[in-house]
Amino acid sequence: MKIVVGEGSCGIAAGAAKVYDKLASALDKSNELTITGCIGMCFLEPIVDIYDNGTLTRLVKVSENDCERIAKAVNSDDLSIVEDLKISEDDELFLKKQTRIALRHCGIINPEKISDYENTDGYKAIRKVISEMTPEQVIEEIKISGLAGRGGAGFPTWFKWNAARSSDGSEKYLICNADEGDPGAFMDRAVIEGDPHNLIEGMLIGAYAIGAKEAIVYVRAEYPLAIKRLEKAIEQATEKGYLGDNIFGSDFSCKMRIKAGAGAFVCGEETALIESLEGSRGMPRLKPPFPAQAGYWHKPSNINNVETFANVSWIILNGGKAFASMGTADSKGTKVFALTGKIKKGGLVEIPMGKTLRDVIFDIGGGIKSDKKFKAVQMGGPSGGCIPESLLDTVIDYKALSATGAIMGSGGMVVMDESTCMVGMAKFFLDFTAKESCGKCVHCRLGTKRMLEILTRIVDGKGHEDDIDLLEELCYAVKDGALCGLGQTAPNPVLTTLKYFRNEYEAHINDKKCPAGECTALITYKIDKNKCVGCTLCARNCPVSAISGTVKNPHEIDALKCIKCGKCKENCRFGAIEVI
């Protein structure tokens, strides 16, 4: 039998590496033990897949203590021993309801073995391109596919490739933006960790199309596993002749290297990324000229993100029309989302454009944790916006999402329930963008700080009557005056929460109340004496001894001592702790 342990970052964090080690020492040598990247079902990690003559048995939430039993089941060819660990039919639907192109190999192949990738038609697309197609034909095929940049802007990929190819100069560069910085986003990381050769092949095709002899992957240093596996994949591809000089005996040569970035969010903007690549501080350049004319070292350059390149080899092998047949009139193909937050089934989701937010959150994601009421979903990270329940049937494509005030972004999808304060959420994202601003332009450097000060004042219960109008005025001033996409989109979380949840701002300012019961400055903890049975659990867990009372008698909270940490509410088994 073949036993596969999911060792993406999510799996390793859940204990997959320890599970692998235990299985390695317990399994018979006749069985093959290997690893794979993120399978996508992060909510079920660690995951162990058992293949027996092509039949897959998936075991979920595996612990070290289960390994001896799994080994016994495999060694004796009796999988009924681990019946309780098998994935449920309902959870199996998480993947079955998806359409996977960018993620088609993730969770299936061993990312550290080039042979695994080759056995799934790996590197056949670049061979086809070099032997059968001109660069112009490659660009035309990408044009037919309708592939748009998956980094957030949704700009036509073919147009960028064609612009770089048409630019004067024999020295050109192809760059992959793997500087994934949105809170809650991990799509690009999963692709690199789970299928690095697919990224390499997509980049090779792009380099051939624009005439680049050097390709660079700019990846954030906080992704050590992704960097490690990509380095190994580049070495393997070079040894096999897929990278280097005269690939497949042709005139096409291309080398690839990795640049580890320091994790500045602004380097997701392509000209700031280029500045960082050149060894300067990551700060945006004025455009024009665009990178296609004067990019890296002022040479023609093309930049796409990981997911964009991950679709390319599939398009070449299956045809642009096949890709374009999925999606909507304006947004073709599939899109990968990182589904996180107050969701039952968090993980990686790849669906055809045209599905609705409800499809992803409730049909695939299983709905809201603890069956609480859905409140909003943040799309596009700090550059995106919050979409309310009334717009849950919004179609997922670039235009429809933009119409809500949010954006597609790179694919972060953070789900919020009724316990989330929308003013606090806006403050969270503004705090992020204010800290990540490079400081080059006044509107972003100072405007985001002034906006953050107002939001902080509101959640602290010190808001003024004119704060909402002032906040809106600042939002539009920053959007209109900022130099790059970071500043131009930073106000989006504020504007969308003001648009859809203005009542929460007004409650914070006028009533000095947080409707969600989340802002500590505006809430008070109180014990309902009719429900309190005097179990003393709340008092024993209070870190500041603010709760008093005797056993089997109602307790009370000293409001002056209470630090509003919520420990009492967390530990109360009788629902006696009220937040008012």
Side-chain angles (χ1 to χ4, degrees):
M1 293 187 189
K2 180 179 179 181
I3 299 89
V4 183
V5 180
E7 285 202 20
S9 288
C10 51
I12 293 171
K18 294 177 180 178
V19 167
Y20 180 93
D21 291 340
K22 279 275 189 178
L23 289 174
S25 61
L27 287 167
D28 289 345
K29 300 302 180 183
S30 59
N31 297 300
E32 178 188 356
L33 177 64
T34 186
I35 64 165
T36 189
C38 176
I39 295 166
M41 297 185 284
C42 305
F43 65 102
L44 294 176
E45 297 284 6
I47 297 173
V48 175
D49 288 341
I50 301 172
Y51 291 90
D52 184 12
N53 295 320
T55 301
L56 168 63
T57 300
R58 176 158 285 157
L59 310 181
V60 298
K61 296 183 179 179
V62 176
S63 72
E64 288 182 80
N65 295 331
D66 298 317
C67 291
E68 290 289 343
R69 193 155 53 100
I70 294 172
K72 181 179 178 181
V74 171
N75 293 338
S76 63
D77 198 15
D78 181 9
L79 296 184
S80 65
I81 295 173
V82 290
E83 191 69 32
D84 58 310
L85 296 176
K86 293 179 182 178
I87 189 171
S88 69
E89 290 183 8
D90 181 60
D91 286 339
E92 276 188 323
L93 295 176
F94 181 85
L95 288 183
K96 288 181 178 179
K97 291 179 178 180
Q98 299 183 36
T99 301
R100 293 194 152 202
I101 293 178
L103 300 178
R104 62 193 181 278
H105 302 140
C106 293
I108 298 173
I109 67 171
N110 184 333
E112 298 183 5
K113 288 185 176 181
I114 192 171
S115 57
D116 274 24
Y117 182 68
E118 290 173 320
N119 291 336
T120 58
D121 292 334
Y123 292 110
K124 285 187 178 180
I126 183 61
R127 187 185 292 274
K128 175 183 177 181
V129 160
I130 292 174
S131 62
E132 301 177 21
M133 302 174 75
T134 65
E136 290 77 14
Q137 287 175 324
V138 172
I139 293 172
E140 180 62 24
E141 201 64 46
I142 298 300
K143 182 179 181 180
I144 292 169
S145 75
L147 176 65
R150 296 302 195 243
F155 201 75
T157 302
W158 78 269
F159 191 92
K160 292 180 73 173
W161 287 16
N162 190 57
R165 174 155 190 84
S166 302
S167 294
D168 294 332
S170 58
E171 188 178 351
K172 299 179 182 181
Y173 295 94
L174 185 95
I175 301 166
C176 174
N177 181 353
D179 192 51
E180 187 174 51
D182 293 9
F186 49 90
M187 303 76 58
D188 291 351
R189 185 196 73 200
V191 170
I192 299 174
E193 290 179 355
D195 195 10
H197 288 285
N198 187 31
L199 171 60
I200 293 171
E201 187 171 18
M203 290 181 68
L204 275 170
I205 294 167
Y208 176 81
I210 72 168
K213 295 180 180 179
E214 184 173 354
I216 307 163
V217 183
Y218 186 97
V219 59
R220 58 196 305 108
E222 293 95 330
Y223 285 177
L225 182 61
I227 292 174
K228 173 188 170 186
R229 288 182 178 167
L230 184 57
E231 284 177 339
K232 188 167 187 175
I234 290 173
E235 289 175 5
Q236 291 172 341
T238 302
E239 289 174 3
K240 296 275 285 191
Y242 300 129
L243 283 170
D245 296 326
N246 305 115
I247 299 171
F248 299 131
S250 70
D251 293 334
F252 174 58
S253 300
C254 185
K255 297 180 181 179
M256 188 175 293
R257 63 183 174 89
I258 298 170
K259 164 68 176 177
F265 182 63
V266 73
C267 286
E269 197 280 334
E270 57 185 14
T271 61
L273 184 154
I274 290 170
E275 286 288 310
S276 178
L277 266 180
E278 292 177 356
S280 301
R281 182 179 176 186
M283 301 176 80
R285 297 174 180 174
L286 285 170
K287 294 184 286 189
F290 294 95
Q293 287 78 44
Y296 185 49
W297 298 125
H298 300 281
K299 304 293 184 182
S301 305
N302 179 85
I303 302 178
N304 290 113
N305 85 321
V306 174
E307 186 186 340
T308 307
F309 286 122
N311 287 293
V312 170
S313 63
W314 189 95
I315 291 171
I316 295 298
L317 288 177
N318 295 275
K321 289 183 180 179
F323 191 81
S325 68
M326 296 176 277
T328 66
D330 299 311
S331 302
K332 304 297 185 183
T334 62
K335 180 72 188 80
V336 181
F337 292 97
L339 191 57
T340 61
K342 304 296 181 65
I343 190 81
K344 287 181 179 177
K345 300 177 183 180
L348 287 171
V349 175
E350 185 173 2
I351 47 97
M353 300 276 200
K355 293 281 189 180
T356 66
L357 292 172
R358 189 185 301 275
D359 291 334
V360 175
I361 296 168
F362 286 91
D363 189 27
I364 297 176
I368 311 305
K369 275 184 181 178
S370 305
D371 293 320
K372 289 188 175 182
K373 183 177 173 59
F374 171 86
K375 190 170 192 177
V377 59
Q378 174 74 11
M379 295 286 296
S383 302
C386 295
I387 301 175
E389 184 181 23
S390 60
L391 297 178
L392 259 178
D393 292 311
T394 298
V395 170
I396 295 174
D397 72 9
Y398 290 99
K399 283 189 176 180
L401 290 176
S402 294
T404 69
I407 60 173
M408 181 86 71
S410 59
M413 193 180 283
V414 183
V415 178
M416 292 162 269
D417 65 16
E418 59 194 306
S419 67
T420 304
C421 172
M422 302 312 295
V423 186
M425 181 59 63
K427 177 184 173 240
F428 169 80
F429 283 112
L430 244 295
D431 179 66
F432 179 86
T433 49
K435 288 174 179 174
E436 293 292 337
S437 171
C438 74
K440 185 171 184 176
C441 65
V442 174
H443 287 80
C444 183
R445 182 178 71 244
L446 296 182
T448 54
K449 286 188 177 181
R450 297 294 86 85
M451 291 161 65
L452 180 60
E453 287 171 359
I454 295 171
L455 288 167
T456 302
R457 189 161 68 227
I458 293 172
V459 300
D460 286 346
K462 301 173 183 177
H464 305 156
E465 285 186 10
D466 60 350
D467 273 345
I468 292 179
D469 292 336
L470 179 58
L471 200 52
E472 281 186 314
E473 183 181 343
L474 273 170
C475 282
Y476 289 114
V478 172
K479 281 181 78 73
D480 294 340
L483 175 63
C484 82
L486 186 150
Q488 292 162 6
T489 58
N492 284 349
V494 181
L495 287 171
T496 51
T497 50
L498 281 170
K499 180 179 180 180
Y500 300 118
F501 303 96
R502 183 176 287 260
N503 62 311
E504 292 200 21
Y505 282 85
E506 292 170 345
H508 280 72
I509 294 170
N510 301 327
D511 304 328
K512 306 302 178 188
K513 293 290 183 183
C514 175
E518 194 174 55
C519 298
T520 55
L522 299 177
I523 61 175
T524 301
Y525 284 88
K526 184 180 178 181
I527 295 178
D528 184 339
K529 294 187 178 180
N530 293 320
K531 294 182 179 179
C532 180
V533 298
C535 69
T536 75
L537 200 57
C538 60
R540 282 182 279 145
N541 282 278
C542 179
V544 292
S545 302
I547 302 175
S548 59
T550 57
V551 178
K552 296 186 179 181
N553 287 297
H555 285 44
E556 61 180 356
I557 299 173
D558 186 336
L560 295 177
K561 287 184 179 181
C562 179
I563 60 172
K564 304 172 185 179
C565 64
K567 289 291 183 182
C568 54
K569 186 174 177 62
E570 289 176 18
N571 287 279
C572 182
R573 299 171 182 170
F574 304 97
I577 309 296
E578 297 179 339
V579 180
I580 58 174

